[in-house]
Structures are given as C-alpha cells and as structure tokens.
Amino acid sequence: MNKEELMLEAVKEAEKGIHSGHGGPFGAVIEKDGKIIGRGHNEVVKNNDPTCHGEMMAIHDACKNLGTFDLSGAVLYTTGYPCPMCLGAILWANISKVYYGSNLEDTEKIGFRDDAFYKLLGDEKRKAEFISELGREDCLRLYEDYLSIKDRKAY
C-alpha cells in the first residue's frame, strides 16, 4: 500500500468510530514492513476514558499484535495532528514517522482544544502553576530499587 492508501485506511477507522458513536473523528493505522500492524479510532465516549484517542488505540493494537512495546521502523497515519498525549506515546513507542491529515486549526474549528495543551507546554509560568514537585526523596528511592534489579532497562 502507498501512503495515500494507508491514510485512507486511517480515514476508514475514523468513520467506523464516528458511525459507532465511539468518539471524535480520529482514526489511525500503523504500518511496518509493508503491512498494517495496528488500527484504532477514537473510543473516548465508548470507554469513558479520555486517553482512548485513535493514535493510542492503534499503538495498543500494534504492540499487542507484535508482542512488543518497541515499534521502531513503524509509520503512523492519523486523521488529525497528534495531541501532546498521543505525540508522547508515539515517541515512547519509537515510531519512526507520522503522517497526519488535518492540522490543529482544522481540529479547533470542530470544537477540539489541542492547541491549549501545546500552549501550556510552552508557557513556563503557567506550567509551574499547574505542575509541582512533591515527595522527591521517596520517589527517588523507587528509582534506586528499580535500578537494583538485574537486567532492567529503561522503558
């Protein structure tokens, strides 16, 4: 499949979610080595879970299908520019490339507020008012415990 066909598969995923009442108009597919390894669409309403975005569901599906959390070499096709949560998951999954259909302005026009999250991330004063360090010493002990277990690697 070429890039345009893969994006159309993401569109089909979004359509499935819309017509099933699962959530917003967002779908995604993940391709690796010429095969679709993961599919997903927005299921926020269906699951009453704000983390069930199309990209997240596709990542879950791909990881389950491959039996790994490392999607190095995979390409994600999504109908909307990834929100910060999804972008973070994409980076954690080591996905190599992302293609998106609609941009932040398009998404805002239909009532979604992704841009607010990007603005918060870039505003150090506002971010400091929202997120604060607490209990660092206790939490650092967890890190020491984690590192003391043999054969651990960061993931």
Side-chain angles (χ1 to χ4, degrees), residues 77-135:
Y77 296 80
T78 180
T79 59
Y81 190 88
C83 75
M85 174 185 68
C86 292
L87 188 55
I90 290 163
L91 292 169
W92 277 113
N94 296 315
I95 290 173
S96 302
K97 176 77 177 167
V98 176
Y99 292 98
Y100 64 92
S102 54
N103 60 41
L104 289 175
E105 293 81 21
D106 299 326
T107 304
E108 188 175 332
K109 287 177 186 173
I110 62 167
F112 290 84
R113 56 193 172 94
D114 295 23
D115 194 46
F117 298 98
Y118 281 105
K119 286 180 181 172
L120 173 65
L121 293 172
D123 184 339
E124 291 304 316
K125 181 176 184 259
R126 203 165 144 226
K127 191 166 47 174
E129 292 169 357
F130 178 72
I131 186 167
S132 301
E133 187 177 282
L134 178 66

Side-chain angles (χ1 to χ4, degrees), residues 42-108:
N42 187 293
E43 295 186 28
V44 168
V45 174
K46 175 186 174 191
N47 295 324
N48 289 316
D49 183 341
T51 68
C52 290
H53 290 192
E55 298 93 335
M56 300 294 279
M57 303 309 287
I59 290 169
H60 288 227
D61 189 45
C63 290
K64 178 182 167 191
N65 291 336
L66 296 183
T68 182
F69 57 84
D70 186 355
L71 300 179
S72 293
V75 178
L76 186 139
Y77 296 80
T78 180
T79 59
Y81 190 88
C83 75
M85 174 185 68
C86 292
L87 188 55
I90 290 163
L91 292 169
W92 277 113
N94 296 315
I95 290 173
S96 302
K97 176 77 177 167
V98 176
Y99 292 98
Y100 64 92
S102 54
N103 60 41
L104 289 175
E105 293 81 21
D106 299 326
T107 304
E108 188 175 332

Side-chain angles (χ1 to χ4, degrees), residues 26-38:
F26 307 106
V29 297
I30 301 174
E31 173 270 329
K32 184 174 182 178
D33 299 326
K35 294 184 287 192
I36 293 176
I37 60 169

